[in-house]
Amino acid sequence: MLAKRLLIPAAMLLPLACASEASSSSGDAPAQTSGGGAGGGASDDAGVGGDTDDGALIVPEDLTIMAVPGGNGVLNLIALTLRKGPTNTELYAALRNDGDAHACSAAVSVELYDKAQRSLAAGINGLLTQHFYRLTDGSGAIAACVGPGDVTMAAVLDLPSDIAIEDVGYVVYRCPYFALDVVPIDGLTISQVKAVTGDAGTAYTGTLLNGFDVAVNTPSATVFSVNRVGRPLGVAVARGTVPIPPGGSWAFETNVVDPPGPVQAAYPAGAFGTQ
């Protein structure tokens, strides 16, 4: 019998932690891994609207969260929300780098099982980061990495709409990434994030600054609404159409987030090269 709550294996330092996309075929969930507690994340005294506990790290609270043994390296899931969205079932996850290696170009894949351990659905998306690095191999290549101690988030928004949330018993996850030798550099940063509430709902405004020495095309800002213990509740995105020159900035406004929370976690992104 698998114990309820958050189950995390000991962090492993791997030269390359690589896992394929979670399988969508039917079958039993992987065996239980060694246990561990969840913690960390932002905190705030304000409450969150909705019918869930603002202090919950996992919602629904009776979910069992399991890591694929050997498939996560330094990344451990610390908070998760599974809920119905406007068109699909949505999953929001926060993970923390609990090791000494940098997790570069990281992603998280998830597979949902019912209480009888039958597969219901699978999905994958990239993990976002607030920090940028340069490889030490002399190539000059730039990497977006989750550094030791950093918290990263992801949203999987395309899970099937016909999943009954109350039937989900287990969420199994794995994290592919590259463990690279890197040094920190200035990159993209987001500041002055504010929640703005209008007739359509709550959106976020802020400023994205390009600290690179080259222009950044297709800039974007992804802002998660977060509860007081660091659990992502929803996500909003702003996408720019004009390149940001070196040292330049972009004042953005996201689409509406549902639901808003007392805390926000903002992640920048962009691309190099000609459009």
Side-chain angles (χ1 to χ4, degrees):
M1 178 65 65
L2 296 174
K4 299 292 182 184
R5 292 308 308 135
L6 187 67
L7 307 174
I8 300 175
M12 299 169 56
L13 180 61
L14 304 176
L16 174 63
C18 185
S20 62
E21 181 172 348
S23 170
S24 59
S25 61
S26 298
D28 290 343
Q32 177 177 332
T33 60
S34 57
S43 64
D44 196 283
D45 294 332
V48 175
D51 57 1
T52 58
D53 179 7
D54 186 33
L57 283 166
I58 305 296
V59 170
E61 293 188 83
D62 63 346
L63 282 179
T64 295
I65 311 300
M66 300 175 61
V68 173
N72 302 284
V74 297
L75 295 171
N76 288 324
L77 194 149
I78 59 174
L80 180 143
T81 300
L82 178 67
R83 68 180 180 92
K84 287 290 187 182
T87 57
N88 297 307
T89 301
E90 299 176 350
L91 183 146
Y92 301 90
L95 299 95
R96 185 177 58 226
N97 184 338
D98 288 328
D100 297 324
H102 292 79
C104 303
S105 300
V108 61
S109 68
V110 294
E111 187 161 8
L112 278 56
Y113 294 83
D114 66 14
K115 293 179 173 63
Q117 301 183 30
R118 293 172 299 205
S119 179
L120 297 173
I124 189 169
N125 207 351
L127 290 170
L128 299 171
T129 180
Q130 298 170 335
H131 300 129
F132 297 85
Y133 300 83
R134 192 179 305 278
L135 273 62
T136 61
D137 61 2
S139 66
I142 294 173
C145 307
V146 183
D150 286 351
V151 172
T152 176
M153 295 185 182
V156 180
L157 305 179
D158 57 355
L159 297 170
S161 60
D162 59 354
I163 294 175
I165 300 296
E166 63 273 16
D167 291 343
V168 182
Y170 310 96
V171 176
V172 179
Y173 74 99
R174 68 183 73 190
C175 298
Y177 66 84
F178 295 97
L180 303 175
D181 292 327
V182 293
V183 293
I185 60 173
D186 292 333
L188 303 176
T189 56
I190 291 178
S191 63
Q192 301 175 337
V193 177
K194 296 180 180 179
V196 178
T197 301
D199 293 340
T202 299
Y204 298 109
T205 62
T207 301
L208 188 153
L209 176 66
N210 179 14
F212 291 118
D213 56 5
V214 295
V216 171
N217 300 318
T218 60
S220 67
T222 301
V223 184
F224 289 85
S225 62
V226 179
N227 79 343
R228 64 179 176 84
V229 296
R231 175 171 60 88
L233 308 172
V235 69
V237 180
R239 293 183 174 89
T241 58
V242 177
I244 305 175
S249 62
W250 167 49
F252 66 83
E253 180 173 352
T254 70
N255 60 341
V256 173
V257 68
D258 179 31
V263 184
Q264 300 86 43
Y267 296 88
F272 303 116
T274 58
Q275 291 183 309

